[in-house]
Amino acid sequence: MKASNRFIAFDPIYAHPLPPGHRFPMLKYELIPEQLLYEGIITEEALVSPASCPTELVLKTHDADYVQKLLEQTLSAKEQRHIGFPQSEALTKREFIITQGTIDCARHALQHGVALNVAGGTHHAFADRGEGFCLLNDVAVAANVLLEEGTIKQAIVIDLDVHQGNGTAKLFEHNPKVFTFSMHGRHNYPFHKEQSDLDVPLEDGTTTDAYLELLAKHLPLLLEKAQPDFAFFISGVDILETDKFGKLKVSKAGCRERDRMVFSTLKKAGIPCAVSMGGGYSPDIRDIVEAHCNTFKEAFSIY
C-alpha cells in the first residue's frame, strides 16, 4: 500500500482519563500512533481525526432510550458498572467519535483496500445497553450504515479478540447480510455467550500453533460460506500469552502471523477490510503497543 493511501482513524479523545488504578489501559491509544510515527511506518498525514457520528446513524443500530441515556448522562450505577467506565459527557463524545472512525475506515477501505481505527472493536455493546468497556458497537453501526447506503451488500465480521463478540452476534442474529465469526476463549468473559453465525471456542492454554491451525482451517471456509464483499476485522491482542485476562498461550509472533493470515486471505479474495483494534491487557503496556503496531505493519505490507 502506498504511504499516501494509508488511513488511520485517531483523535486524542481516544485516550480518555480514568480513575487511578483502573484496569483498562487507555494509554495505549496515545502510544500506538506515536510508535508508528517513531518507526516511520506512517507520516502525520495518515492520522485522520473523525467527526462525531451523527445520532441518526447510531440509531440505526442502538435503541433510542439507550442512546438518550448516554447523551443525557442518565445511566444508572448498575449500567455504569456493567460498562466499566464512569459516565461523562467526554466519554460519550469519545464513543461517538470512535464509531465515526470505523465508518470512515470502512469508506476508505472500499477505495484503497484497508484502513485501521486505533480504537473500536467495541463488540460487547448491545442495542439497548453497553458492557465490558463498550458503549456503542462501532462495527455494527458501520456495517448497518454501509449496507443501508448500498455501498456494500454482504459483510463479514472477523472477531479475533479473546472475548466473544456477544453484542455483535446478538445485533445481527436475524440479519443475513452480516456474517459474524468469533474465535474466543471458551471459559472467558462474557460467561453467557450469544450465538454468532460461527463460533470457535478455544480452550484455556491454546498454543500459538493450535490457534493458527484453527484460523487457517476456518478462514477460507468462512469466505466461501459468507460470500462477503466487505470485512470488518477486530484484531484484539488479548490472545497474547502475556495478557492478564486472555488465558491463551499465543506468542507475539503468532499474533502477528494471525494478522498476516487474515489480511493475505482477504486481499487474495479481493475483499476490502476495516480494522478495529479490540482489547489487550498485558501488564507491560509495551507488549500491547507492539502487538497492535504489528497489525498496522501487516495491513500496510499486504494491501
Side-chain angles (χ1 to χ4, degrees):
M1 184 180 214
K2 290 180 182 175
S4 59
N5 291 335
R6 292 177 183 179
F7 185 101
I8 297 173
F10 170 72
D11 189 276
I13 201 172
Y14 284 15
H16 179 74
L18 290 171
H22 197 285
R23 64 184 182 156
F24 191 87
M26 276 287 180
L27 182 61
K28 74 175 185 176
Y29 299 120
E30 281 178 40
L31 298 180
I32 292 167
E34 284 179 9
Q35 187 66 25
L36 293 169
L37 287 166
Y38 175 74
E39 291 187 38
I41 306 301
I42 59 166
T43 58
E44 290 278 0
E45 290 72 32
L47 297 170
V48 182
S49 178
S52 180
C53 187
T55 304
E56 60 267 25
L57 296 189
V58 172
L59 290 171
K60 294 180 190 299
T61 298
H62 291 283
D63 293 354
D65 288 350
Y66 173 57
V67 173
Q68 189 173 0
K69 286 180 186 178
L70 290 178
L71 292 170
E72 295 179 358
Q73 316 304 304
T74 54
L75 292 169
S76 68
K78 184 180 179 183
E79 287 170 320
Q80 290 179 68
R81 275 199 308 278
H82 283 163
I83 289 169
F85 296 142
Q87 68 184 340
S88 68
E89 281 184 35
L91 182 68
T92 297
K93 184 180 178 186
R94 171 186 187 266
E95 297 301 314
F96 276 71
I97 288 173
I98 288 171
T99 299
Q100 184 63 45
T102 298
I103 297 171
D104 293 348
C105 284
R107 294 196 199 288
H108 184 88
L110 282 165
Q111 300 298 317
H112 300 286
V114 73
L116 302 94
N117 195 347
V118 170
T122 41
H123 56 174
H124 301 310
F126 289 75
D128 61 347
R129 67 188 187 279
E131 57 182 55
F133 305 136
C134 302
L135 282 79
L136 298 176
N137 195 309
D138 62 303
V139 164
V141 172
N144 283 329
V145 167
L146 268 63
L147 284 164
E148 187 168 299
E149 287 176 351
T151 44
I152 64 174
K153 292 186 170 62
Q154 185 72 42
I156 187 170
V157 180
I158 300 171
D159 190 339
L160 300 183
D161 191 280
V162 83
H163 304 109
Q164 194 214 29
N166 56 341
T168 315
K170 189 70 176 171
L171 282 163
F172 291 121
E173 69 176 339
H174 301 304
N175 186 343
K177 291 182 179 179
V178 180
F179 189 98
T180 53
F181 168 59
S182 181
M183 194 158 128
H184 53 264
R186 183 191 296 274
H187 303 296
N188 215 316
Y189 178 92
F191 299 107
H192 169 74
K193 308 287 195 284
E194 299 293 339
Q195 190 169 347
S196 310
D197 290 305
L198 178 60
D199 287 300
V200 178
L202 304 167
E203 300 302 333
D204 291 357
T206 296
T207 62
T208 300
D209 288 348
Y211 184 96
L212 293 174
E213 193 177 313
L214 273 170
L215 184 60
K217 174 186 159 189
H218 283 100
L219 275 177
L221 299 174
L222 270 179
L223 298 191
E224 195 178 310
K225 188 169 184 180
Q227 294 288 306
D229 58 5
F230 195 86
F232 291 93
F233 174 29
I234 300 176
S235 58
V237 301
D238 40 14
I239 67 166
L240 289 177
E241 58 195 341
T242 53
D243 198 88
K244 281 187 287 190
F245 309 123
K247 303 182 183 179
L248 304 185
K249 294 264 184 278
V250 178
S251 67
K252 216 174 285 177
C255 189
R256 183 168 185 164
E257 176 61 19
R258 172 202 72 176
D259 297 339
R260 189 202 63 76
M261 200 182 284
V262 171
F263 292 132
S264 57
T265 302
L266 292 173
K267 176 73 162 58
K268 188 178 175 186
I271 300 167
C273 179
V275 189
S276 298
M277 284 302 106
Y281 307 94
S282 296
D284 187 338
I285 192 89
R286 289 171 294 187
D287 291 326
I288 302 173
V289 172
E290 184 184 344
H292 277 313
C293 286
N294 285 341
T295 305
F296 289 83
K297 293 173 187 176
E298 290 300 322
F300 295 145
S301 71
I302 288 165
Y303 274 91

